[in-house]
Amino acid sequence: DAGVIQSPRHEVTEMGQEVTLRCKPISGHNSLFWYRQTMMRGLELLIYFNNNVPIDDSGMPEDRFSAKMPNASFSTLKIQPSEPRDSAVYFCASSSFGTGILEQYFGPGTRLTVT
Amino acid sequence: DAKTTQPNSMESNEEEPVHLPCNHSTISGTDYIHWYRQLPSQGPEYVIHGLTSNVNNRMASLAIAEDRKSSTLILHRATLRDAAVYYCILRDVGAGNMLTFGGGTRLMVKP
Protein backbone atom coordinates (compact mmCIF):
# COMPACT_ATOMS: atom_id res chain seq x y z
CA ASP A 1 0.00 0.00 0.00
CA ALA A 2 1.31 3.46 -0.89
CA GLY A 3 0.09 5.06 2.31
CA VAL A 4 -1.34 8.55 2.50
CA ILE A 5 0.02 10.72 -0.29
CA GLN A 6 0.38 14.47 0.04
CA SER A 7 1.49 17.04 -2.51
CA PRO A 8 3.40 19.18 -2.76
CA ARG A 9 5.94 18.22 -0.10
CA HIS A 10 7.21 21.79 0.09
CA GLU A 11 5.53 25.02 -0.92
CA VAL A 12 6.96 28.52 -0.76
CA THR A 13 4.63 31.34 -1.67
CA GLU A 14 4.22 35.04 -1.19
CA MET A 15 1.69 36.62 1.11
CA GLY A 16 -1.65 37.09 -0.61
CA GLN A 17 -1.29 34.15 -2.97
CA GLU A 18 -3.65 31.19 -3.07
CA VAL A 19 -2.25 27.89 -1.84
CA THR A 20 -3.77 24.46 -2.48
CA LEU A 21 -2.60 21.38 -0.62
CA ARG A 22 -3.61 17.93 -1.84
CA CYS A 23 -4.16 14.60 -0.17
CA LYS A 24 -4.89 11.08 -1.38
CA PRO A 25 -6.01 8.83 1.50
CA ILE A 26 -5.33 5.13 1.77
CA SER A 27 -7.65 3.19 -0.51
CA GLY A 28 -10.69 1.89 1.37
CA HIS A 29 -10.44 4.42 4.21
CA ASN A 30 -13.56 6.52 4.72
CA SER A 31 -12.28 9.14 7.18
CA LEU A 32 -9.88 11.93 6.31
CA PHE A 33 -8.26 14.49 8.60
CA TRP A 34 -6.31 17.69 8.03
CA TYR A 35 -3.88 18.79 10.76
CA ARG A 36 -1.51 21.72 11.10
CA GLN A 37 1.71 21.65 13.14
CA THR A 38 3.70 24.64 14.36
CA MET A 39 6.29 25.02 17.09
CA MET A 40 4.03 27.39 19.02
CA ARG A 41 0.73 25.48 18.83
CA GLY A 42 1.79 21.89 18.25
CA LEU A 43 -0.40 19.56 16.21
CA GLU A 44 -3.93 20.87 15.68
CA LEU A 45 -6.88 19.23 13.95
CA LEU A 46 -8.34 21.57 11.34
CA ILE A 47 -11.17 19.54 9.84
CA TYR A 48 -12.22 15.96 9.26
CA PHE A 49 -14.50 14.14 6.85
CA ASN A 50 -16.43 10.88 7.13
CA ASN A 51 -17.58 9.38 3.83
CA ASN A 52 -16.59 12.62 2.04
CA VAL A 53 -18.83 14.75 4.31
CA PRO A 54 -17.24 17.38 6.60
CA ILE A 55 -18.04 16.44 10.18
CA ASP A 56 -16.12 18.93 12.29
CA ASP A 57 -14.46 22.06 10.94
CA SER A 58 -14.21 23.89 14.25
CA GLY A 59 -10.43 23.86 14.00
CA MET A 60 -10.32 25.81 10.74
CA PRO A 61 -8.74 29.09 11.79
CA GLU A 62 -10.77 31.49 9.65
CA ASP A 63 -12.62 31.95 6.39
CA ARG A 64 -9.39 32.06 4.44
CA PHE A 65 -9.18 28.30 4.91
CA SER A 66 -11.42 25.87 3.07
CA ALA A 67 -11.34 22.11 2.55
CA LYS A 68 -13.12 19.86 0.11
CA MET A 69 -13.40 16.15 -0.48
CA PRO A 70 -15.05 15.64 -3.87
CA ASN A 71 -14.58 11.87 -3.77
CA ALA A 72 -13.23 9.11 -1.57
CA SER A 73 -9.73 9.31 -3.00
CA PHE A 74 -8.95 13.03 -2.99
CA SER A 75 -9.09 16.05 -0.71
CA THR A 76 -7.81 19.60 -0.90
CA LEU A 77 -7.05 22.25 1.69
CA LYS A 78 -7.03 25.75 0.25
CA ILE A 79 -5.75 28.97 1.80
CA GLN A 80 -6.78 32.19 0.08
CA PRO A 81 -5.23 34.65 0.64
CA SER A 82 -2.20 33.20 2.42
CA GLU A 83 -0.45 35.03 5.28
CA PRO A 84 2.98 34.52 6.90
CA ARG A 85 1.31 33.13 10.05
CA ASP A 86 -0.02 30.24 7.93
CA SER A 87 3.54 28.90 7.65
CA ALA A 88 3.46 25.41 9.13
CA VAL A 89 3.57 21.73 8.27
CA TYR A 90 0.17 20.47 7.14
CA PHE A 91 -0.58 16.78 7.61
CA CYS A 92 -3.33 14.70 6.11
CA ALA A 93 -4.38 11.45 7.77
CA SER A 94 -6.91 8.75 6.97
CA SER A 95 -8.63 5.95 8.84
CA SER A 96 -11.58 3.55 8.68
CA PHE A 97 -14.55 4.89 10.59
CA GLY A 98 -17.10 2.44 11.91
CA THR A 99 -15.00 -0.66 11.38
CA GLY A 100 -13.48 -0.88 14.83
CA ILE A 101 -10.07 -0.02 13.40
CA LEU A 102 -9.01 3.02 15.38
CA GLU A 103 -5.62 3.91 13.95
CA GLN A 104 -5.04 7.01 11.88
CA TYR A 105 -2.39 6.86 9.17
CA PHE A 106 -0.56 10.10 8.47
CA GLY A 107 1.02 11.36 5.30
CA PRO A 108 4.50 12.87 5.15
CA GLY A 109 3.18 16.41 5.37
CA THR A 110 3.44 19.57 3.29
CA ARG A 111 5.80 22.22 4.62
CA LEU A 112 4.30 25.60 3.74
CA THR A 113 6.31 28.80 3.93
CA VAL A 114 4.54 32.09 3.29
CA THR A 115 6.88 35.07 2.88
CA ASP B 1 -12.26 16.28 26.23
CA ALA B 2 -10.34 14.49 28.96
CA LYS B 3 -6.77 15.74 29.15
CA THR B 4 -3.48 13.91 29.44
CA THR B 5 -0.29 14.97 31.21
CA GLN B 6 3.12 13.78 30.05
CA PRO B 7 6.69 14.80 30.94
CA ASN B 8 8.15 17.17 28.37
CA SER B 9 11.22 15.04 27.79
CA MET B 10 12.94 11.83 28.83
CA GLU B 11 16.30 10.29 28.18
CA SER B 12 17.22 6.66 27.75
CA ASN B 13 20.23 4.55 26.93
CA GLU B 14 20.24 2.42 23.83
CA GLU B 15 19.13 -1.20 24.34
CA GLU B 16 17.57 -0.44 27.72
CA PRO B 17 13.82 -0.48 28.45
CA VAL B 18 11.95 2.82 28.47
CA HIS B 19 8.81 3.58 30.45
CA LEU B 20 6.90 6.62 29.21
CA PRO B 21 4.23 7.74 31.70
CA CYS B 22 0.90 9.42 31.03
CA ASN B 23 -1.60 10.74 33.55
CA HIS B 24 -5.27 11.03 32.63
CA SER B 25 -7.11 11.44 35.91
CA THR B 26 -10.36 12.67 34.26
CA ILE B 27 -10.65 9.73 31.86
CA SER B 28 -14.20 8.53 31.20
CA GLY B 29 -15.40 4.98 30.77
CA THR B 30 -15.65 5.33 26.99
CA ASP B 31 -12.19 6.80 26.46
CA TYR B 32 -9.62 4.66 24.69
CA ILE B 33 -5.95 5.38 25.44
CA HIS B 34 -3.95 5.85 22.26
CA TRP B 35 -0.21 6.32 21.77
CA TYR B 36 1.31 7.83 18.66
CA ARG B 37 4.88 8.84 17.99
CA GLN B 38 6.42 11.33 15.62
CA LEU B 39 9.90 10.72 14.31
CA PRO B 40 11.90 13.76 13.16
CA SER B 41 10.56 15.29 9.93
CA GLN B 42 7.78 12.71 9.64
CA GLY B 43 4.07 12.52 10.31
CA PRO B 44 2.83 10.86 13.49
CA GLU B 45 2.50 7.09 13.46
CA TYR B 46 0.26 4.84 15.49
CA VAL B 47 1.96 2.85 18.23
CA ILE B 48 -0.68 1.14 20.36
CA HIS B 49 -4.04 1.61 22.04
CA GLY B 50 -6.03 0.05 24.85
CA LEU B 51 -9.16 0.42 26.95
CA THR B 52 -8.74 -1.45 30.23
CA SER B 53 -6.36 -4.37 29.82
CA ASN B 54 -2.64 -4.26 29.13
CA VAL B 55 -1.76 -4.60 25.46
CA ASN B 56 1.27 -5.81 23.57
CA ASN B 57 2.24 -5.47 19.93
CA ARG B 58 5.43 -5.66 17.93
CA MET B 59 6.31 -2.05 18.68
CA ALA B 60 5.56 -1.66 22.38
CA SER B 61 3.50 -2.62 25.41
CA LEU B 62 0.83 -0.54 27.08
CA ALA B 63 0.29 -0.91 30.80
CA ILE B 64 -2.97 0.60 32.10
CA ALA B 65 -3.52 1.27 35.78
CA GLU B 66 -6.43 -0.52 37.40
CA ASP B 67 -8.31 2.78 37.95
CA ARG B 68 -7.36 3.86 34.39
CA LYS B 69 -6.13 7.21 35.62
CA SER B 70 -2.67 6.59 34.29
CA SER B 71 -0.89 4.46 31.72
CA THR B 72 2.67 3.65 30.69
CA LEU B 73 4.07 2.99 27.25
CA ILE B 74 6.92 0.49 27.45
CA LEU B 75 9.60 0.17 24.81
CA HIS B 76 11.40 -3.03 25.74
CA ARG B 77 14.76 -2.24 24.12
CA ALA B 78 15.22 1.32 22.99
CA THR B 79 17.09 1.90 19.75
CA LEU B 80 18.34 5.13 18.25
CA ARG B 81 15.40 4.92 15.83
CA ASP B 82 12.99 5.21 18.75
CA ALA B 83 14.04 8.82 19.37
CA ALA B 84 10.80 10.69 18.76
CA VAL B 85 7.99 12.65 20.38
CA TYR B 86 5.49 10.26 21.97
CA TYR B 87 1.88 11.38 22.33
CA CYS B 88 -0.62 9.92 24.76
CA ILE B 89 -4.17 10.68 23.59
CA LEU B 90 -7.62 9.88 24.93
CA ARG B 91 -10.23 9.11 22.32
CA ASP B 92 -13.92 8.96 23.15
CA VAL B 93 -15.41 6.35 20.85
CA GLY B 94 -18.76 8.10 21.02
CA ALA B 95 -17.29 11.37 19.74
CA GLY B 96 -16.14 10.09 16.39
CA ASN B 97 -12.61 9.18 15.53
CA MET B 98 -10.86 12.49 15.93
CA LEU B 99 -7.64 12.79 17.94
CA THR B 100 -6.54 15.74 20.07
CA PHE B 101 -2.76 15.90 20.38
CA GLY B 102 -1.06 17.43 23.41
CA GLY B 103 2.58 18.34 23.80
CA GLY B 104 3.90 14.79 24.08
CA THR B 105 7.18 13.52 25.53
CA ARG B 106 10.38 13.99 23.57
CA LEU B 107 12.40 10.80 24.01
CA MET B 108 16.13 11.05 23.50
CA VAL B 109 18.13 7.82 23.15
CA LYS B 110 21.82 7.84 23.93
CA PRO B 111 24.16 5.36 22.26
Side-chain angles (χ1 to χ4, degrees):
Chain A
D1 198 325
V4 175
I5 299 172
Q6 291 188 248
S7 64
R9 293 294 309 277
H10 301 272
E11 177 81 35
V12 180
T13 191
E14 292 183 347
M15 182 174 63
Q17 296 297 306
E18 177 180 295
V19 175
T20 299
L21 312 181
R22 296 172 176 79
C23 175
K24 177 178 170 54
I26 291 173
S27 177
H29 283 186
N30 59 357
S31 287
L32 184 138
F33 307 80
W34 282 101
Y35 292 86
R36 176 174 69 174
Q37 187 170 37
T38 62
M39 288 293 292
M40 291 295 293
R41 301 176 65 90
L43 199 58
E44 307 171 277
L45 176 67
L46 300 177
I47 185 171
Y48 81 95
F49 298 81
N50 281 345
N51 296 315
N52 312 338
V53 176
I55 302 301
D56 188 333
D57 65 353
S58 59
M60 295 285 263
E62 50 198 272
D63 292 345
R64 297 185 298 107
F65 285 68
S66 62
K68 293 182 180 179
M69 191 163 187
N71 57 61
S73 59
F74 183 66
S75 176
T76 59
L77 178 67
K78 185 177 293 186
I79 308 172
Q80 166 64 14
S82 58
E83 296 182 3
R85 59 188 167 132
D86 301 330
S87 298
V89 181
Y90 291 81
F91 290 103
C92 176
S94 70
S95 70
S96 291
F97 176 67
T99 64
I101 300 172
L102 305 181
E103 302 95 285
Q104 287 188 18
Y105 295 84
F106 284 75
T110 295
R111 181 173 297 277
L112 173 65
T113 304
V114 183
T115 61
Chain B
D1 289 338
K3 300 269 188 241
T4 62
T5 304
Q6 300 177 254
N8 288 335
S9 63
M10 291 184 62
E11 214 170 69
S12 170
N13 293 317
E14 196 177 11
E15 298 189 6
E16 290 186 357
V18 182
H19 291 233
L20 296 162
C22 181
N23 287 320
H24 28 78
S25 58
T26 60
I27 191 170
S28 73
T30 53
D31 283 332
Y32 278 81
I33 302 161
H34 285 243
W35 285 82
Y36 281 73
R37 73 178 185 180
Q38 187 172 19
L39 302 172
S41 301
Q42 295 189 27
E45 66 174 343
Y46 167 83
V47 177
I48 200 167
H49 75 275
L51 184 60
T52 56
S53 303
N54 295 342
V55 184
N56 300 297
N57 66 21
R58 63 175 180 80
M59 288 182 70
S61 296
L62 176 59
I64 301 173
E66 196 168 332
D67 63 4
R68 300 209 325 128
K69 294 187 176 183
S70 65
S71 61
T72 302
L73 180 71
I74 302 165
L75 307 179
H76 296 285
R77 280 181 78 233
T79 69
L80 297 179
R81 286 197 69 254
D82 291 322
V85 177
Y86 287 78
Y87 298 97
C88 170
I89 303 165
L90 300 184
R91 176 173 167 268
D92 184 347
V93 177
N97 51 347
M98 48 188 285
L99 300 173
T100 302
F101 286 80
T105 296
R106 180 172 298 278
L107 175 65
M108 293 166 280
V109 181
K110 296 184 294 183

mmCIF file of all heavy atoms in Angstrom, chain B residues 54-74:
data_model
loop_
_atom_site.group_PDB
_atom_site.id
_atom_site.type_symbol
_atom_site.label_atom_id
_atom_site.label_comp_id
_atom_site.label_asym_id
_atom_site.label_seq_id
_atom_site.Cartn_x
_atom_site.Cartn_y
_atom_site.Cartn_z
ATOM 1 N N ASN B 54 -3.955 -4.502 29.729
ATOM 2 C CA ASN B 54 -2.639 -4.261 29.132
ATOM 3 C C ASN B 54 -2.596 -4.843 27.724
ATOM 4 O O ASN B 54 -3.275 -5.834 27.419
ATOM 5 C CB ASN B 54 -1.550 -4.879 29.997
ATOM 6 C CG ASN B 54 -1.450 -4.225 31.369
ATOM 7 O OD1 ASN B 54 -1.947 -3.115 31.572
ATOM 8 N ND2 ASN B 54 -0.808 -4.905 32.303
ATOM 9 N N VAL B 55 -1.817 -4.213 26.865
ATOM 10 C CA VAL B 55 -1.763 -4.596 25.458
ATOM 11 C C VAL B 55 -0.308 -4.711 25.024
ATOM 12 O O VAL B 55 0.544 -3.949 25.494
ATOM 13 C CB VAL B 55 -2.480 -3.538 24.575
ATOM 14 C CG1 VAL B 55 -2.511 -3.988 23.126
ATOM 15 C CG2 VAL B 55 -3.881 -3.251 25.083
ATOM 16 N N ASN B 56 -0.067 -5.655 24.140
ATOM 17 C CA ASN B 56 1.267 -5.810 23.566
ATOM 18 C C ASN B 56 1.165 -5.871 22.054
ATOM 19 O O ASN B 56 0.222 -6.451 21.509
ATOM 20 C CB ASN B 56 1.924 -7.109 24.050
ATOM 21 C CG ASN B 56 2.079 -7.157 25.547
ATOM 22 O OD1 ASN B 56 2.789 -6.358 26.127
ATOM 23 N ND2 ASN B 56 1.390 -8.095 26.181
ATOM 24 N N ASN B 57 2.100 -5.254 21.378
ATOM 25 C CA ASN B 57 2.236 -5.472 19.933
ATOM 26 C C ASN B 57 3.721 -5.465 19.597
ATOM 27 O O ASN B 57 4.577 -5.407 20.498
ATOM 28 C CB ASN B 57 1.424 -4.461 19.113
ATOM 29 C CG ASN B 57 1.920 -3.029 19.234
ATOM 30 O OD1 ASN B 57 3.068 -2.789 19.606
ATOM 31 N ND2 ASN B 57 1.051 -2.089 18.920
ATOM 32 N N ARG B 58 4.018 -5.505 18.321
ATOM 33 C CA ARG B 58 5.427 -5.657 17.926
ATOM 34 C C ARG B 58 6.248 -4.414 18.252
ATOM 35 O O ARG B 58 7.465 -4.471 18.339
ATOM 36 C CB ARG B 58 5.526 -5.967 16.437
ATOM 37 C CG ARG B 58 5.003 -4.879 15.539
ATOM 38 C CD ARG B 58 5.223 -5.170 14.063
ATOM 39 N NE ARG B 58 4.704 -4.105 13.229
ATOM 40 C CZ ARG B 58 5.338 -2.960 12.996
ATOM 41 N NH1 ARG B 58 6.532 -2.743 13.526
ATOM 42 N NH2 ARG B 58 4.796 -2.032 12.231
ATOM 43 N N MET B 59 5.567 -3.283 18.429
ATOM 44 C CA MET B 59 6.309 -2.047 18.679
ATOM 45 C C MET B 59 6.524 -1.792 20.168
ATOM 46 O O MET B 59 7.571 -1.268 20.564
ATOM 47 C CB MET B 59 5.567 -0.844 18.089
ATOM 48 C CG MET B 59 5.592 -0.764 16.585
ATOM 49 S SD MET B 59 4.751 0.713 15.984
ATOM 50 C CE MET B 59 5.884 1.991 16.500
ATOM 51 N N ALA B 60 5.508 -2.092 20.980
ATOM 52 C CA ALA B 60 5.562 -1.664 22.378
ATOM 53 C C ALA B 60 4.538 -2.420 23.198
ATOM 54 O O ALA B 60 3.763 -3.227 22.680
ATOM 55 C CB ALA B 60 5.275 -0.162 22.460
ATOM 56 N N SER B 61 4.539 -2.134 24.500
ATOM 57 C CA SER B 61 3.504 -2.625 25.413
ATOM 58 C C SER B 61 2.841 -1.429 26.074
ATOM 59 O O SER B 61 3.478 -0.386 26.274
ATOM 60 C CB SER B 61 4.115 -3.531 26.485
ATOM 61 O OG SER B 61 4.658 -4.692 25.913
ATOM 62 N N LEU B 62 1.576 -1.580 26.392
ATOM 63 C CA LEU B 62 0.828 -0.537 27.082
ATOM 64 C C LEU B 62 0.317 -1.115 28.390
ATOM 65 O O LEU B 62 -0.432 -2.106 28.389
ATOM 66 C CB LEU B 62 -0.339 -0.057 26.221
ATOM 67 C CG LEU B 62 -1.281 0.979 26.844
ATOM 68 C CD1 LEU B 62 -0.517 2.240 27.236
ATOM 69 C CD2 LEU B 62 -2.413 1.318 25.886
ATOM 70 N N ALA B 63 0.744 -0.495 29.486
ATOM 71 C CA ALA B 63 0.293 -0.912 30.804
ATOM 72 C C ALA B 63 -0.693 0.131 31.312
ATOM 73 O O ALA B 63 -0.354 1.313 31.389
ATOM 74 C CB ALA B 63 1.482 -1.038 31.758
ATOM 75 N N ILE B 64 -1.904 -0.307 31.653
ATOM 76 C CA ILE B 64 -2.966 0.599 32.097
ATOM 77 C C ILE B 64 -3.252 0.344 33.563
ATOM 78 O O ILE B 64 -3.488 -0.803 33.968
ATOM 79 C CB ILE B 64 -4.239 0.386 31.253
ATOM 80 C CG1 ILE B 64 -3.927 0.630 29.769
ATOM 81 C CG2 ILE B 64 -5.357 1.327 31.718
ATOM 82 C CD1 ILE B 64 -5.068 0.278 28.830
ATOM 83 N N ALA B 65 -3.238 1.413 34.350
ATOM 84 C CA ALA B 65 -3.517 1.274 35.778
ATOM 85 C C ALA B 65 -4.928 0.748 35.994
ATOM 86 O O ALA B 65 -5.818 0.946 35.157
ATOM 87 C CB ALA B 65 -3.353 2.622 36.467
ATOM 88 N N GLU B 66 -5.127 0.104 37.121
ATOM 89 C CA GLU B 66 -6.426 -0.517 37.397
ATOM 90 C C GLU B 66 -7.551 0.524 37.411
ATOM 91 O O GLU B 66 -8.658 0.245 36.948
ATOM 92 C CB GLU B 66 -6.372 -1.240 38.741
ATOM 93 C CG GLU B 66 -7.495 -2.230 38.957
ATOM 94 C CD GLU B 66 -7.258 -3.127 40.157
ATOM 95 O OE1 GLU B 66 -6.079 -3.383 40.499
ATOM 96 O OE2 GLU B 66 -8.264 -3.560 40.756
ATOM 97 N N ASP B 67 -7.284 1.715 37.930
ATOM 98 C CA ASP B 67 -8.308 2.779 37.953
ATOM 99 C C ASP B 67 -8.329 3.584 36.652
ATOM 100 O O ASP B 67 -9.111 4.518 36.519
ATOM 101 C CB ASP B 67 -8.104 3.708 39.155
ATOM 102 C CG ASP B 67 -6.785 4.454 39.106
ATOM 103 O OD1 ASP B 67 -6.048 4.329 38.100
ATOM 104 O OD2 ASP B 67 -6.464 5.181 40.052
ATOM 105 N N ARG B 68 -7.483 3.244 35.720
ATOM 106 C CA ARG B 68 -7.365 3.857 34.393
ATOM 107 C C ARG B 68 -6.964 5.326 34.435
ATOM 108 O O ARG B 68 -7.057 6.021 33.437
ATOM 109 C CB ARG B 68 -8.679 3.713 33.602
ATOM 110 C CG ARG B 68 -9.090 2.286 33.371
ATOM 111 C CD ARG B 68 -9.897 2.038 32.108
ATOM 112 N NE ARG B 68 -10.798 3.099 31.734
ATOM 113 C CZ ARG B 68 -10.822 3.640 30.526
ATOM 114 N NH1 ARG B 68 -9.976 3.248 29.586
ATOM 115 N NH2 ARG B 68 -11.687 4.590 30.225
ATOM 116 N N LYS B 69 -6.495 5.804 35.540
ATOM 117 C CA LYS B 69 -6.130 7.213 35.624
ATOM 118 C C LYS B 69 -4.694 7.464 35.175
ATOM 119 O O LYS B 69 -4.238 8.615 35.130
ATOM 120 C CB LYS B 69 -6.345 7.728 37.044
ATOM 121 C CG LYS B 69 -7.821 7.745 37.435
ATOM 122 C CD LYS B 69 -8.065 8.408 38.767
ATOM 123 C CE LYS B 69 -9.578 8.466 39.039
ATOM 124 N NZ LYS B 69 -9.893 9.162 40.290
ATOM 125 N N SER B 70 -4.008 6.426 34.842
ATOM 126 C CA SER B 70 -2.669 6.592 34.290
ATOM 127 C C SER B 70 -2.330 5.383 33.424
ATOM 128 O O SER B 70 -2.972 4.319 33.543
ATOM 129 C CB SER B 70 -1.624 6.752 35.394
ATOM 130 O OG SER B 70 -1.531 5.558 36.148
ATOM 131 N N SER B 71 -1.354 5.565 32.558
ATOM 132 C CA SER B 71 -0.885 4.458 31.720
ATOM 133 C C SER B 71 0.601 4.662 31.435
ATOM 134 O O SER B 71 1.145 5.767 31.634
ATOM 135 C CB SER B 71 -1.680 4.366 30.412
ATOM 136 O OG SER B 71 -1.547 5.542 29.640
ATOM 137 N N THR B 72 1.242 3.601 30.988
ATOM 138 C CA THR B 72 2.668 3.651 30.689
ATOM 139 C C THR B 72 2.939 2.933 29.379
ATOM 140 O O THR B 72 2.500 1.785 29.196
ATOM 141 C CB THR B 72 3.496 2.977 31.804
ATOM 142 O OG1 THR B 72 3.219 3.621 33.051
ATOM 143 C CG2 THR B 72 4.990 3.076 31.510
ATOM 144 N N LEU B 73 3.607 3.614 28.487
ATOM 145 C CA LEU B 73 4.069 2.987 27.248
ATOM 146 C C LEU B 73 5.458 2.422 27.513
ATOM 147 O O LEU B 73 6.332 3.132 28.009
ATOM 148 C CB LEU B 73 4.125 4.000 26.117
ATOM 149 C CG LEU B 73 4.596 3.441 24.770
ATOM 150 C CD1 LEU B 73 3.532 2.530 24.177
ATOM 151 C CD2 LEU B 73 4.936 4.571 23.803
ATOM 152 N N ILE B 74 5.644 1.162 27.177
ATOM 153 C CA ILE B 74 6.915 0.491 27.445
ATOM 154 C C ILE B 74 7.572 0.094 26.124
ATOM 155 O O ILE B 74 6.981 -0.648 25.329
ATOM 156 C CB ILE B 74 6.699 -0.757 28.322
ATOM 157 C CG1 ILE B 74 6.023 -0.357 29.634
ATOM 158 C CG2 ILE B 74 8.029 -1.460 28.598
ATOM 159 C CD1 ILE B 74 5.448 -1.518 30.413
#
